Each structure stands twice: as structure tokens, then as C-alpha cells.
Amino acid sequence: MSHENPIIRVLLVDDEINLLESTAKALRRRGMDVSTATNGVEAIQSAKILFFDVAVLDVNMPGMDGHHLFHALRAEQPWLQVLMLTGHGDIQKAFELGKTGLYDYLSKPIPLDELFLSIIDAYRKGAEGTEDTSHLEGVEDLRDPQSMRVLLVDDEADFLNSLSKVLARREMHPLTASNGEQALQLLSENRVDVVVCDVKMPGMDGVSLMQRIKEDDPFIEVILLTGHGNVTLAVEGMRKGAFDYLIKPQETEKFIRVVRAACHKKREHQRAKQEMRLKAMIENNPS
């Protein structure tokens, strides 16, 4: 399994065989390693011999339902992230399970693209928080739930190298790109909390890059770096959504404080969105 593109191991459990097989086939086409089970007993047997990163469970199954299977699977594999497929009337129970480790619940029927993205998000959460990480070889940089992942974008190689060392010494995880296109490619492949980019770069400038980033993921915070002569452009970037701008060269401790503040803001926004979604689903689907 490569560091850049780890294979996600998924367990799908549903007693609707046609749906189970079609979903598994579609996820495999997207590069996931998928195992299937049509009931709780099969799922537990699989968990005894295979490692999984994410399990997707239907709630309503004959015999052992999804709620009981959730606890049984977590007993076998405590790191396992579980997505529950719920119908009308199951939301309150899913909410209660959320307090004991359920990653998320999804209403059936769910579009395949939404399921695919939810599995990726659950995988990342599990890779961040797991203690037994032997089954996640190759994704060491995602294991620390407190880690901050920062993408540095600048066409000055020495400057990138210097900032990377500053971040690494403070137990952050830096990624680097020398231009906007390379930055966008890295963002498509990696989870990033904060982007720090130079305003003036050949090709795509920092403000244009920020706008592209925000179109794809409005939660990522962007900090602009600018020389004294580019402050006007940096202020324009603030009006368009930048978290802050810093003048180069920047005092190290202030730089770290701003990066940490931007990361905190990003995660608070994500948490608030998740809570709003939970509240809306409970209100719209009373038990």
C-alpha cells in the first residue's frame, strides 16, 4: 500500500443481496478493497480473520440487526470506523450510537458518490485516531488526531524547505508545492487543514489559487504570504476569504500562532456543520 494512495478496506453488510453486490462492485471500481456479508454472523466471522478500516452496516437485517452488529464488530476491531445505513425511525438510535463510536449515519437510499466520500472521510478519521496501527502501514502521518496538516506553496525552494522544518519541529505535517497546479494536485490526494501560499508566483497567483481551493473545499483556511510591495493584493485576498496574510520574512512564533489559529477555525467549522446535520436529520426523522 503506497503512502500517497492507501487502499481502504471496507466491509459491507446488507441482507439485500443485489444491492450489496452492486455497491461492492462500484466501490471496487473506485479502488477500494471490499468484502461483503449478508448478515451479522458472516460479518463477525470476516472480522475475526481480516482487518477492515471501515464497515458499512444496514440497520434492519434479520437476526442480528446493525445496532448489535456495531458493538460486536468494534469488540473485534476497536479502531474500526462504522457507517450505519438508516431508514425512517432509526435516527435517534443512530444518534445514541454516535456517543459510543459510530462515525456517521446515512439515510437510505444513498447516492453512491456520497457513500464513497463518506467512506473516505471515515477512513481518515480512523487512521488519525487508531492506537493499533499495524494494519495501516504506509499512512503513519495520519495517525495523530491532534496533527495539523499544512500545505506550503511558494516558488522559492529554500523558503519552502525552511518553513517545512519550522512546522515539523512543532509536530505538524508539512506538504510543499512550488506552484498552484501542483498544490491543487496535492489537495486532491491529501487531507489538508491549512494552505500557506505566496501571493506572487509564476502562473497561478496566490489569490487565484485560494479561490480554486475554496471552490473545492470552503473549510480549508488559506494564509497568504506577501512582500511589502504586495500588501494591497493580500488585502484583496482577505476580502475574498483568506484567513490572514503575513509579510515575508515572518517572525517564526507569529507564523506558528496564525497557522494554529487557522487550523482551529477550520476544525470548528467542520464540527459545527456535522452537528447541524445531525440536528436536522433528527428533526426531520423523529422516532
Side-chain angles (χ1 to χ4, degrees), residues 7-13 20 23-24 27-28 31-37 46 50-57 77 80-83 115-116 118-120 122-123:
I7 296 175
I8 302 175
R9 284 166 279 200
V10 181
L11 174 63
L12 295 181
V13 188
L20 183 70
T23 303
L27 293 176
R28 289 176 185 132
M32 294 183 172
D33 181 359
V34 182
S35 298
T36 62
S46 294
L50 298 172
F51 286 118
F52 296 106
D53 301 304
V54 180
V56 182
L57 315 179
Q77 302 189 14
L80 185 66
Q81 297 300 306
V82 179
L83 298 168
L115 176 61
F116 175 69
S118 295
I119 290 172
I120 291 175
Y123 165 78

Side-chain angles (χ1 to χ4, degrees), residues 23 25 27 41 58 121 126 134 145 161 164 167 229 234 238 245 254 269 271:
T23 303
K25 183 177 180 180
L27 293 176
V41 173
D58 187 25
D121 288 342
S134 60
N161 184 53
S164 294
L167 295 173
M238 291 283 291
Y245 73 90
K254 180 178 180 181
H269 282 167
R271 188 176 299 112

Side-chain angles (χ1 to χ4, degrees), residues 113-264:
D113 287 342
E114 183 179 343
L115 176 61
F116 175 69
L117 293 174
S118 295
I119 290 172
I120 291 175
D121 288 342
Y123 165 78
R124 287 170 173 166
K125 174 64 177 177
E128 288 173 354
T130 185
E131 294 179 1
D132 179 5
T133 54
S134 60
H135 66 298
L136 292 176
E137 182 179 359
V139 291
E140 292 83 359
D141 62 336
L142 296 179
R143 293 177 184 173
D144 180 5
Q146 302 303 320
S147 68
M148 299 179 186
R149 294 176 61 85
V150 182
L151 173 59
L152 304 171
V153 190
D154 200 299
D155 59 315
E156 298 180 28
D158 290 342
F159 184 71
L160 281 180
N161 184 53
S162 175
L163 280 188
S164 294
K165 291 179 179 179
V166 167
L167 295 173
R169 283 197 296 268
R170 286 156 176 82
E171 299 183 349
M172 299 184 191
H173 295 294
L175 300 170
T176 62
S178 59
N179 57 63
E181 292 298 333
Q182 187 179 32
L184 292 173
Q185 181 63 33
L186 285 171
L187 286 169
S188 72
E189 299 169 348
N190 298 272
R191 176 182 64 81
V192 171
D193 296 304
V194 178
V195 175
V196 181
C197 64
D198 193 10
V199 168
K200 298 291 288 185
M201 296 183 293
M204 188 185 308
D205 64 34
V207 175
S208 299
L209 173 60
M210 179 192 69
Q211 291 176 302
R212 291 280 301 275
I213 292 170
K214 292 289 187 179
E215 289 173 1
D216 292 335
D217 186 345
F219 290 111
I220 294 178
E221 295 296 341
V222 178
I223 298 168
L224 299 175
L225 293 175
T226 179
H228 289 280
N230 299 320
V231 171
T232 300
L233 188 57
V235 171
E236 177 191 346
M238 291 283 291
R239 288 197 295 266
K240 293 181 177 180
F243 178 81
D244 204 346
Y245 73 90
L246 300 172
I247 296 176
K248 298 168 66 174
Q250 182 54 237
E251 187 267 323
T252 299
E253 292 309 315
K254 180 178 180 181
F255 172 70
I256 294 299
R257 285 197 302 272
V258 173
V259 169
R260 284 177 173 161
C263 183
H264 178 73

Side-chain angles (χ1 to χ4, degrees), residues 13-15 38-44 56-74 82-86 89-90 93-94 97 102:
V13 188
D14 199 311
D15 61 312
T38 59
N39 57 61
V41 173
E42 289 181 8
I44 293 169
V56 182
L57 315 179
D58 187 25
V59 169
N60 293 312
M61 295 184 292
M64 183 183 299
D65 66 15
H67 300 143
H68 291 93
L69 179 57
F70 164 79
H71 293 294
L73 289 175
R74 287 296 293 267
V82 179
L83 298 168
M84 195 80 74
L85 298 180
T86 65
D90 300 318
K93 182 64 176 180
L97 285 177
L102 178 70

Side-chain angles (χ1 to χ4, degrees), residues 91 105-107 276-286:
I91 298 299
Y105 51 89
L106 306 168
S107 295
M276 289 176 62
R277 180 185 175 201
L278 176 62
K279 181 179 178 181
M281 291 191 71
I282 292 174
E283 290 175 347
N284 293 332
N285 296 272

